[in-house]
Amino acid sequence: MMFLINAIYASASIAFMLLLLLLIHYLSPVSSWGCISQALIFHQVRKYLLMLDVRKDHVKFWRPQVLLMVSNPRCSVGLITFVNDIKKSGLYVLGHVQLGDLDVLPSDPLQSQYDSWLSLVDHLNIKAFVNLTLADSIRHGVQHLLFISGLGGMRPNTLVLGFYDDIPPQDQLQDSTLSMCKFSDNNSQTDDPEDQSDPPFHFPPVREGVSVGRGGKSLGPQEYVCIIADAVKMLKNVALARYFGQFDRTNALQGPVFVDVWPVNLLRPDSAAYVDTCSLFLLQLACILNMTKAWQKAKLRLFLCVEEGRSLKGTEQKLKHLLKDLRMKAEICTVPWDAQVTLHWQRQARSEKIEELESEEGEVEADKVFANSFPSNTTRVSDEYLQAVNKLILDQELRPPAVRFLYLPRPPADTSRYHDYLHQLELLTRNLGPTLLIHGVTPVITTDL
């Protein structure tokens, strides 16, 4: 009607309104009026969380809901982004434990850190929540997070930890990069140079930050394995991530990409089972990773360790039939490991012999005969066997994988053997590149319709 009456005045009015809108948008002071959408989202989320009944959980609808423990984000960027891929529309929580006692502190030191962590989530473009806790030890802090993280039917079922080793951490999070990410109250990114002078994050330098397994300052090997045992007792799946300090997904996914899965318990060569709960959990996680958009072109390789004299064709056919039932596409690679198994049984025979000598001639005489044969502490497998298995895995690197999935046995019941347990894992995974040691405690696969 305006244009019918007078087109000139109508055009001038519209131009004036647009000019006024731009002036208000760019020159008006910033103020927070609140957003009605947040109230509506809160109402809907609360309603559907109450409808999500944990008693109606079924294996068909299982998905990984991950709690990733991060000591210092500066040296964990590769692992954080990788776990974001593997969670595949499940719950993802970044957990952090700060040592301290609230009784002797004037205020909660965690409140000022949340903005830094949320800015990190925005910068890495991941879909994750942040959960921080204050505790007197790392172990107690992880227990707190395992108990309280999540809400209703959305609770973590898988704990991911960095591996305990002596590899020096590297800063993957440069200040010059993150200083470009200044987020306002409405989570909009701005390019104002004045805002860039005040970055929204404050993470300690790598050498000064608390880092699990580096230097043993805040966490020892005994406590580290205790955390794994605690998670298993709580019926949580556990994954230990090694060599992700320099993991870069962009470089890892260039060219032919392979994901290797070793579903047998390599620390127990006398029980080579491929269809137990833990092995199937490995297969499921590898399949979930392969379903994500970034990893769709990756090819799964399933390594079948075989001994001479056993029914190779029968075992391979059963495994192919299982993969067909589960609708998983994977290349089955058979790997003979008679030499490695022979080392294991030689170690067992020597162990039995030393026990006989100790009972007949005393412990001193036995030590004289076998001091150089194997370690004095009684372990299930020898270092020679583990080194041989490690070499066996490395020898399959005609086409190196982007990541490996290995079977993680549960910690021994005897807490005095925790150091030996961690030592065995270190020898097994030495120089393997990005590797996930996984222990599954809950069934995640079914063939029932």
Side-chain angles (χ1 to χ4, degrees), residues 398-413:
L398 294 177
R399 294 171 293 179
V403 65
R404 287 185 176 89
F405 290 76
L406 268 62
Y407 190 115
L408 174 67
R410 66 183 302 158

Side-chain angles (χ1 to χ4, degrees), residues 4 55 78 107 115 132 161 165 212 220 222 224 292 302 311 332-333 338 341 361 366 387 399 411 416 434 441:
L4 288 176
R55 296 168 295 183
S107 62
D115 287 343
L132 312 179
L161 302 171
D165 54 26
V212 175
Q222 185 79 10
Y224 178 81
T292 59
L302 186 60
S311 178
I332 299 178
C333 305
D338 297 86
V341 174
E361 303 178 9
Q387 292 168 356
R399 294 171 293 179
S416 63
V441 297

Side-chain angles (χ1 to χ4, degrees), residues 94-97 110-111 113-114 117 130-134 145:
L94 298 180
H96 174 73
V97 179
L110 301 178
Q111 296 301 320
Q113 300 182 20
Y114 273 99
W117 285 85
V130 175
N131 220 340
L132 312 179
T133 187
L134 189 70
L145 294 177

Side-chain angles (χ1 to χ4, degrees), residues 19 61 65 68 100 145 192 207 216 241 271 300 320 328 354 434:
L19 179 62
F61 315 120
Q65 306 197 79
L68 171 63
L145 294 177
D192 189 352
R207 293 185 178 180
S271 61
L300 297 184
K320 286 182 178 180
M328 295 182 180
I354 193 173

Side-chain angles (χ1 to χ4, degrees), residues 205-260:
V206 169
R207 293 185 178 180
E208 298 178 7
V210 177
S211 187
V212 175
R214 276 81 171 179
K217 295 181 180 180
S218 61
L219 181 67
Q222 185 79 10
E223 186 179 4
Y224 178 81
V225 182
C226 285
I227 293 174
I228 301 174
D230 292 341
V232 175
K233 292 177 183 177
M234 298 180 191
L235 299 181
K236 307 293 184 183
N237 310 297
V238 180
L240 308 182
R242 191 175 192 190
Y243 295 119
F244 279 87
Q246 297 179 342
F247 179 80
D248 186 354
R249 188 178 68 176
T250 303
N251 296 332
L253 296 180
Q254 291 180 354
V257 181
F258 298 95
V259 176
D260 289 357

Side-chain angles (χ1 to χ4, degrees), residues 137-202:
S137 68
I138 301 294
R139 181 185 180 186
H140 289 163
V142 176
Q143 289 177 354
H144 296 166
L145 294 177
L146 286 174
F147 277 126
I148 67 174
S149 292
L151 190 63
M154 296 187 64
R155 293 186 179 276
N157 54 33
T158 303
L159 174 67
V160 180
L161 302 171
F163 195 80
Y164 192 107
D165 54 26
D166 296 327
I167 299 177
Q170 296 185 2
D171 194 344
Q172 300 174 304
L173 214 55
Q174 300 298 327
D175 289 348
S176 59
T177 303
L178 274 184
S179 62
M180 300 296 293
C181 296
K182 174 65 178 179
F183 294 89
S184 60
D185 293 338
N186 59 357
N187 290 334
S188 62
Q189 188 172 346
T190 62
D191 296 327
D192 189 352
E194 296 181 358
D195 291 340
Q196 295 176 12
S197 63
D198 184 19
F201 64 96
H202 301 281

Side-chain angles (χ1 to χ4, degrees), residues 381-408:
V381 291
S382 64
D383 290 355
E384 291 83 0
Y385 164 78
L386 293 171
Q387 292 168 356
V389 173
N390 176 265
K391 185 177 183 300
L392 176 69
I393 298 175
L394 289 173
D395 288 342
Q396 313 304 316
E397 282 196 357
L398 294 177
R399 294 171 293 179
V403 65
R404 287 185 176 89
F405 290 76
L406 268 62
Y407 190 115
L408 174 67

Side-chain angles (χ1 to χ4, degrees), residues 334-346:
T334 56
V335 180
W337 69 331
D338 297 86
Q340 290 75 21
V341 174
T342 301
L343 279 176
H344 168 70
W345 290 117
Q346 288 177 351

